[in-house]
Amino acid sequence: MKNKIYLLAGLILLGFGIYLSITFLGEEKKAESNQSIVAFGDSLTYGYGDETEEGYIGRLQTKLDRTFPEKNYTITNHGVYGFKSSDVLQQMLKPEVAQDIKNADMFIVYIGTNDLLKSNGGDLYPLHHEKLVEAKDIYEDKLNGILETLETANSDAPVILLGLYNPYPDGDQIEKYIDHWNNSIRKKAAEDKNITYISTNELFKGKNKKQYFADSLHPNGKGYEMIADRIMEGFSF
């Protein structure tokens, strides 16, 4: 009788052990599959102009869910309308944002358009060369600060760094400045193997602006869809 009791108790303990093993291993695998992406930027990251209010972030989320159903990607969007690089740098000092940075598995940084526009008086006509040159130096300094903040707080997380686009593709003079700023962004990315530069400037060239833009600057849903596609093409998730 005692042997039967011991045998039964042993089977119960064995079953319980197997249950715990499966449960904890399952939770561990689930935790490993969770991928947190934190995005920083201005109205373009916020998604202004998209009639569905998704922007490239929401559309990227959808594409990741469809492409990698075995993983659980979650994108936290810290994009704010009107932000310049200096604003993002200040934003990163907030405790809740700093915590997001610490917990992230990767980052997206898409900033600089307002640095360029606001330094020129809020638009790109006419162009003020000296102001734009001075603004570029300040922007480079702030961008360095942003990337260094991410590196210091979370050195393991890769960074997707997006280049700027020319909202007036037919403006040759504007194109020269966009290229100049993008060269600096690309150069900064090349200095760190953890940073991937993704160009956006060629996306709208040769396109009918009315079909891809909500206004003079911001893309509509179709425009943001192209940006999301470019990120999927340019980064190995």
Side-chain angles (χ1 to χ4, degrees):
M1 184 67 178
K2 288 184 179 180
N3 290 336
K4 289 183 179 180
I5 294 174
Y6 291 148
L7 177 61
L8 180 60
L11 290 173
I12 292 173
L13 288 173
L14 177 62
F16 186 63
I18 293 172
Y19 168 77
L20 289 177
S21 177
I22 293 173
T23 300
F24 285 118
L25 283 175
E27 290 297 324
E28 185 176 346
K29 288 182 178 179
K30 183 178 179 181
E32 288 177 356
S33 69
N34 291 341
Q35 295 290 307
S36 172
I37 304 174
V38 178
F40 293 97
D42 50 32
S43 55
L44 300 178
T45 295
Y46 174 81
Y48 185 88
D50 188 347
E51 58 276 11
T52 67
E53 299 184 351
E54 291 180 275
Y56 78 86
I57 290 295
R59 294 168 186 274
L60 178 62
Q61 176 78 69
T62 299
K63 294 176 188 297
L64 289 171
D65 291 342
R66 290 175 179 172
T67 307
F68 306 103
E70 74 284 1
K71 293 184 179 181
N72 182 26
Y73 282 99
T74 302
I75 307 179
T76 301
N77 189 350
H78 284 302
V80 178
Y81 186 95
F83 260 23
K84 299 195 302 181
S85 55
S86 56
D87 297 309
V88 172
L89 200 51
Q90 287 295 316
Q91 180 188 40
M92 289 177 165
L93 298 177
K94 295 181 178 180
E96 63 274 19
V97 178
Q99 189 63 42
D100 285 344
I101 293 173
K102 182 180 178 181
N103 295 335
D105 294 294
M106 67 184 70
F107 301 105
I108 298 174
V109 178
Y110 193 9
I111 195 68
T113 299
N114 286 319
D115 294 72
L116 190 149
L117 285 174
K118 291 182 178 182
S119 67
N120 198 61
D123 57 35
L124 294 174
Y125 292 103
L127 293 168
H128 303 287
H129 177 73
E130 292 184 359
K131 291 182 179 180
L132 288 170
V133 170
E134 181 180 357
K136 178 176 171 293
D137 291 338
I138 296 173
Y139 167 70
E140 287 180 353
D141 180 63
K142 301 303 180 183
L143 180 61
N144 286 340
I146 291 170
L147 297 175
E148 287 173 3
T149 298
L150 297 180
E151 170 68 21
T152 300
N154 192 339
S155 60
D156 294 329
V159 180
I160 298 172
L161 184 59
L162 297 175
L164 311 182
Y165 64 80
N166 181 0
Y168 307 99
D170 297 329
D172 292 338
Q173 292 300 316
I174 296 173
E175 188 72 15
K176 293 178 181 177
Y177 288 99
I178 296 294
D179 286 343
H180 195 40
W181 284 53
N182 278 335
N183 284 338
S184 294
I185 300 172
R186 187 184 297 107
K187 181 179 178 181
K188 184 60 185 175
E191 294 174 357
D192 190 334
K193 62 181 181 180
N194 217 28
I195 302 175
T196 299
Y197 172 81
I198 296 179
S199 174
T200 66
N201 194 28
E202 65 277 7
L203 291 178
F204 302 106
K205 294 186 184 301
K207 300 286 195 306
N208 185 324
K209 186 161 185 175
K210 292 182 179 180
Q211 293 183 6
Y212 292 91
F213 281 81
D215 54 31
S216 61
L217 174 63
H218 301 92
N220 59 18
K222 290 178 66 176
Y224 282 118
E225 186 77 11
M226 290 199 300
I227 295 175
D229 284 337
R230 175 54 56 88
I231 294 173
M232 290 292 292
E233 296 166 0
F235 186 82
S236 297
F237 287 92

